[in-house]
Amino acid sequence: MTERSEIEPVARVINGKAIAARLTGEIGKAVATLRSVHGVQPGLAVILMGDDPASQVYVRNKARQTVAAGMQSFDHNLDGSAPESELLDLISRLNSDPSAHGILVQLPLPDHINVNLVMEAIDPAKDVDGFHPVNVGRLATGEAGLVPGTPLGCIILAKDVTPDLTGHEAVVIGRSNIVGKPVAQLLLAENCTVTIAHSRTRDLPGVVRRADLLIAAAGVPELVQGDWVKPGAIVIDVGINRVPAPERGEGKTKLVGDVAFDSVSQVAGAITPVPGGVGPMTIACLMRNTVQAACSIHGIDYVEPIVDSEKAV
Ligand code: NDP
């Protein structure tokens, strides 16, 4: 929250950090019940290949929050030059390890690794990132499965503003497999009328202006401008872009989203900040998915935690 300017937003600023903390708290309670009533301690195995500094930070945060929620965390580090077979062997071992209910392979992977092959090697029941084709198919056909964390986090934040999204014109900018496509599927499941825009979309501002709910996941700093946005719209900014910030001193940088916060927050009804919006929800939803996977593996009914926004914000 410290990276933005002083212009006072007109829109409600959705406090993703507080909502994620509340969700994580509820997950901690669910884990305590699983342990005391069923004798099951959910476990999450995270595989990091190589030494990308940003990935190392993400993996450390995931491990810290997993342990804080009362779950087991298993970290596996592979050399960036390790052969693909080593990674596949590790996944195979974790697939049959009863203490690992969730398996996550941190992306991006080195160039010599076939990402699709790796995703397909994970047992769909343990695929807490929701990238296995079986889980992708389940999401598309409306069956229960594991749903990617960032898209799920976007929906939770939008529903915090408007619990029933039925009939909303939703526009998603971005068609990636990890954000754009799954978030569009989730919006369809919420009965929105969904448009997916991408780099070949003609008249992107005109398309965005139709949106009651906008999800921006293009990876382009401050792409969406204030005069693109319908007054009162809900704006969920997935983008995380590090840009130069010479106003802070030589060589300084800052994080911005795909939405020009200052101008859009004067027009929108609600908006997520960057940082402190979607980002914290991604890990909270990963924790949620690990509990869901543990319940499903042990034949226990999974009860969706209720996140009370009144208490969260
Ligand atoms: P990708 O690069 O995989 O996909 C970007 C998508 O945006 C593509 O579909 C691309 O279109 C489209 N796009 C790019 N430029 C434009 C443009 N000028 N106008 C319209 N569409 C455009 O990115 P990801 O989906 O992986 O991530 C998107 C953003 O979200 C990034 O900033 C990333 O850092 C962030 N992110 C944040 C997470 C979080 O936890 N908050 C988690 C994951 C991602 P085309 O298909 O035609 O190339």
Side-chain angles (χ1 to χ4, degrees):
M1 302 277 190
T2 51
E3 305 230 356
R4 288 195 316 278
S5 81
E6 295 75 33
I7 299 174
E8 196 57 40
V10 173
R12 173 188 154 192
V13 179
I14 304 166
N15 190 341
K17 204 170 162 187
I19 295 170
R22 178 102 185 115
L23 176 57
T24 309
E26 293 302 318
I27 290 159
K29 288 185 206 163
V31 170
T33 305
L34 272 176
R35 290 176 70 171
S36 61
V37 176
H38 301 280
V40 171
Q41 184 178 20
L44 173 65
V46 177
I47 303 173
L48 173 64
M49 195 166 180
D51 52 10
D52 176 57
S55 293
Q56 286 173 333
V57 172
Y58 290 139
V59 167
R60 262 202 307 275
N61 284 340
K62 283 168 187 169
R64 192 172 38 80
Q65 292 202 32
T66 304
V67 171
M71 297 190 261
Q72 291 196 84
S73 165
F74 310 103
D75 284 351
H76 297 271
N77 295 304
L78 295 186
D79 195 272
S81 61
E84 190 175 80
S85 57
E86 196 175 323
L87 176 56
L88 294 174
D89 285 349
L90 173 57
I91 292 172
S92 168
R93 284 200 303 280
L94 291 170
N95 281 343
S96 43
D97 179 348
S99 55
H101 301 95
I103 302 170
L104 180 151
V105 179
Q106 183 65 43
L107 301 178
L109 285 167
D111 288 344
H112 67 284
I113 304 290
N114 180 337
V115 180
N116 290 340
L117 198 66
V118 169
M119 293 302 137
E120 286 168 29
I122 298 172
D123 179 348
K126 298 187 173 188
D127 168 40
V128 283
D129 253 345
F131 296 154
H132 190 288
V134 165
N135 283 316
V136 175
R138 284 179 181 152
L139 177 59
T141 54
E143 281 176 66
L146 289 160
V147 172
T150 302
L152 189 57
C154 292
I155 301 299
I156 294 172
L157 294 180
K159 290 181 77 167
D160 191 69
V161 180
T162 303
D164 184 3
L165 298 171
T166 298
H168 277 50
E169 283 278 351
V171 172
V172 179
I173 310 180
R175 56 177 165 179
S176 73
N177 291 335
I178 64 167
V179 189
K181 284 178 195 158
V183 88
Q185 295 286 0
L186 289 171
L187 290 166
L188 266 183
E190 295 291 336
N191 302 313
C192 293
T193 303
V194 184
T195 302
I196 307 178
H198 45 77
S199 68
R200 310 291 179 89
T201 297
R202 284 194 213 128
D203 185 22
L204 184 62
V207 171
V208 169
R209 262 180 220 115
R210 297 206 302 260
D212 303 311
L213 168 57
L214 173 67
I215 314 263
V220 179
E222 303 188 317
L223 172 70
V224 177
Q225 299 295 311
D227 62 356
W228 295 20
V229 172
K230 186 175 181 175
I234 303 169
V235 177
I236 308 291
D237 189 353
V238 184
I240 302 176
N241 310 289
R242 190 160 282 286
V243 297
E247 72 278 8
R248 295 178 181 194
E250 206 185 314
K252 295 280 182 198
T253 60
K254 63 178 177 181
L255 288 181
V256 298
D258 290 350
V259 171
F261 186 90
D262 285 347
S263 64
V264 173
S265 66
Q266 299 300 306
V267 184
I271 185 169
T272 59
V274 177
V278 175
M281 293 301 290
T282 299
I283 298 188
C285 289
L286 173 67
M287 304 291 104
R288 176 213 168 275
N289 284 358
T290 306
V291 173
Q292 185 193 340
C295 287
S296 162
I297 288 166
H298 290 277
I300 301 163
D301 280 342
Y302 170 70
V303 182
E304 196 65 61
I306 296 165
V307 183
D308 184 341
S309 128
E310 288 299 308
K311 291 181 194 161
V313 183

